[in-house]
Amino acid sequence: MAQYNRAIAALAADSSLSIEAILRGQSPHIHVKAGLDLGRSQPQSAWKEQSIKGTALRAFVWFAHLLSAYYDVMNPPENAPLLVYAFRTSDVPRSFSNAPSAIECVEALLRSVMHLRNDEIDLMSRTKHNQLVDYHSKVSAAIDASVALAPKQSDLIHDLEMLRIHLRVISLMLATYAADSESVWNHYTADFEMILTGVENAMAYQELNPRSFYPSLGLVSPLFCVATKSRDPKLQQRALYLLHKLKRKERTWNSCIAHQIARAVFNLEHGFAFKQGNQEIPEDCRVRLDSVVFEHQHQRIVVFYRRMATYKTHPEVESVTVPWDPLIDVHFDFVHMSRKALACFGYTGVHLIVPPIPCQCHPSLGQFSPAASDPSSEMSLELR
Ligand SMILES: [Zn+2]
Ligand SMILES: [Zn+2]
């Protein structure tokens, strides 16, 4: 572990590498490997560990986290054993004195839940599930205690409140990971409400108190969760509206992309339900996202999904194409979003910067499909 830390520190200390360039990398293990190689070849004096402490180092630790959450289990990179993280509920303090230590705990939990969701469900997972529920309640209690102690209207309160939102999303992930239906989400309306109110408060605070560089788990994923999993049209539209308003990049996610994918799900389900003469979205009409391909050249997003009507009998993947205006944001070079990533609402872990982006939602999205249940409210959503 020491060698790994020194190696990534060496890479991070190389001033020719901008954090943004690194953060945009799509193959984190390449950077980690490069860091290891560089670390071995550099004299100790070149490491400048002091100068990169806390910021760049965090970015590289983040890569390691991402790698551990996503690497191919059959073909782990050679340094994979270094990335294994062990939980001990006894390690969780009674309260957190600063935001980064709280974020670290929540992120560790998030990463494990991502593993759980992506694993085959077996007895091992059941045991692990219970451990995670236990860890979740310990971290939640510590965050509640910290909120009670923190000064009002401070960055610390804001960061802790954000973590409460993520903990709520994580609890939903834990509660639904083994479900083979989408109706399981019907039970969580109160959670969706809490998430939306939390995000609204966070957005208001961030607008008044901008910070250029701070660790966060982002706002796009919680909103994407509500927009695609709550089938209460009012809550979904509130989430869609906030995604559209957010206009920011959170690593590979950006809020416009998330808005358009969530919107596609909304349109599909309401279209199917409308054909059946339903006001609500019954299980048969629901869809589960499979993967998303970004076709920059053709200016479109292809959203692959499975219909719950045939999920168990004929699990065929269908697709819908969404017009997209990618040329506005030249920095978005992502081409594929996996089922794993979508099942975890695009969470990738801690990021440090959330650059603003120009809106890249296609204007034709304002012309809402006539199959929708309530086209007038959806229209006004886009026109705001
Ligand atoms: Zn939008
Ligand atoms: Zn947009």
Side-chain angles (χ1 to χ4, degrees):
M1 200 65 199
Q3 189 195 17
Y4 173 70
N5 283 344
R6 282 201 302 276
I8 57 177
L11 179 56
D14 182 341
S15 55
S16 64
L17 273 171
S18 82
I19 291 288
E20 176 57 7
I22 298 162
L23 286 171
R24 288 207 296 121
Q26 287 175 24
S27 305
H29 66 277
I30 291 171
H31 299 293
V32 175
K33 278 191 112 152
L36 285 167
D37 293 344
L38 198 62
R40 288 189 193 106
S41 66
Q42 295 255 331
Q44 190 126 18
S45 59
W47 285 339
K48 306 179 209 158
E49 284 188 53
Q50 273 316 109
S51 66
I52 51 101
K53 226 177 172 181
T55 51
L57 185 62
R58 188 173 281 278
F60 282 88
V61 171
W62 179 86
F63 280 130
H65 292 171
L66 185 74
L67 182 63
S68 68
Y70 283 97
Y71 75 78
D72 180 357
V73 183
M74 299 307 291
N75 186 24
E78 57 178 293
N79 52 340
L82 293 172
L83 309 173
V84 172
Y85 188 92
F87 275 112
R88 278 205 307 271
T89 42
S90 56
D91 290 348
V92 180
R94 282 175 173 280
S95 69
F96 299 103
S97 56
N98 57 56
S101 57
I103 289 174
E104 245 160 64
C105 276
V106 176
E107 197 215 359
L109 179 63
L110 178 64
R111 252 183 298 126
S112 293
V113 175
M114 284 161 71
H115 275 298
L116 188 71
R117 282 183 73 90
N118 295 331
D119 280 348
E120 289 293 313
I121 296 151
D122 55 21
L123 278 172
M124 279 300 284
S125 297
R126 284 278 170 207
T127 317
K128 200 176 167 195
H129 175 264
N130 294 338
Q131 285 169 358
L132 292 177
V133 169
D134 190 29
Y135 191 81
H136 185 285
S137 66
K138 283 258 166 55
V139 176
S140 300
I143 286 181
D144 289 347
S146 318
V147 168
L149 296 170
K152 299 270 167 275
Q153 285 296 309
S154 60
D155 285 352
L156 178 57
I157 277 274
H158 163 270
D159 293 351
L160 293 169
E161 292 287 3
M162 290 265 290
L163 291 177
R164 277 178 158 166
I165 299 170
H166 298 298
L167 283 169
R168 194 62 73 106
V169 180
I170 292 169
S171 73
L172 297 184
M173 290 163 85
L174 272 168
T176 60
Y177 82 100
D180 59 0
S181 89
E182 283 293 302
S183 302
V184 67
W185 294 96
N186 293 359
H187 309 295
Y188 304 109
T189 307
D191 298 81
F192 294 134
E193 291 246 31
M194 177 272 172
I195 293 166
L196 286 180
T197 306
V199 172
E200 280 161 356
N201 292 341
M203 282 170 74
Y205 182 85
Q206 289 175 13
E207 211 173 297
L208 291 173
N209 306 277
R211 280 183 287 170
S212 52
F213 206 74
Y214 67 103
S216 145
L217 292 166
L219 292 174
V220 174
S221 297
L223 288 175
F224 188 74
C225 168
V226 179
T228 55
K229 294 302 187 188
S230 154
R231 266 72 174 203
D232 176 333
K234 284 216 169 68
L235 295 180
Q236 284 185 290
Q237 295 204 358
R238 227 168 110 198
L240 286 170
Y241 169 71
L242 292 171
L243 275 176
H244 192 56
K245 189 180 168 193
L246 200 54
K247 294 190 193 63
R248 68 159 68 155
K249 184 168 139 70
E250 290 179 356
R251 219 195 120 70
T252 44
W253 253 143
N254 83 39
S255 53
C256 289
I257 296 293
H259 176 228
Q260 289 174 104
I261 297 170
R263 181 88 179 224
V265 172
F266 185 94
N267 285 358
L268 278 168
E269 292 187 344
H270 282 263
F272 294 140
F274 183 80
K275 273 187 211 152
Q276 293 189 7
N278 273 305
Q279 284 298 306
E280 311 239 300
I281 310 291
E283 176 71 16
D284 273 12
C285 297
R286 298 188 182 191
V287 303
R288 193 171 272 185
L289 284 168
D290 190 75
S291 60
V292 174
V293 174
F294 303 98
E295 297 189 347
H296 294 250
Q297 253 193 330
H298 298 110
Q299 307 207 15
R300 64 188 188 188
I301 304 170
V302 188
V303 178
F304 292 91
Y305 63 92
R306 288 165 207 262
R307 276 198 70 173
M308 297 314 285
T310 52
Y311 195 78
K312 287 168 209 161
T313 48
H314 304 90
E316 279 145 29
V317 178
E318 295 169 58
S319 71
V320 64
T321 301
V322 180
W324 173 43
D325 205 345
L327 304 176
I328 295 169
D329 181 12
V330 292
H331 298 296
F332 187 85
D333 51 10
F334 208 42
V335 290
H336 176 258
M337 204 159 169
S338 69
R339 185 187 316 161
K340 283 181 179 185
L342 288 162
C344 302
F345 311 121
Y347 269 116
T348 42
V350 172
H351 42 70
L352 301 166
I353 44 173
V354 285
I357 53 161
C359 182
Q360 53 197 263
C361 300
H362 197 277
S364 79
L365 276 175
Q367 290 141 33
F368 199 58
S369 145
S373 64
D374 188 2
S376 58
S377 62
E378 188 62 19
M379 284 290 277
S380 65
L381 178 85
E382 281 305 318
L383 296 172
R384 254 184 259 195

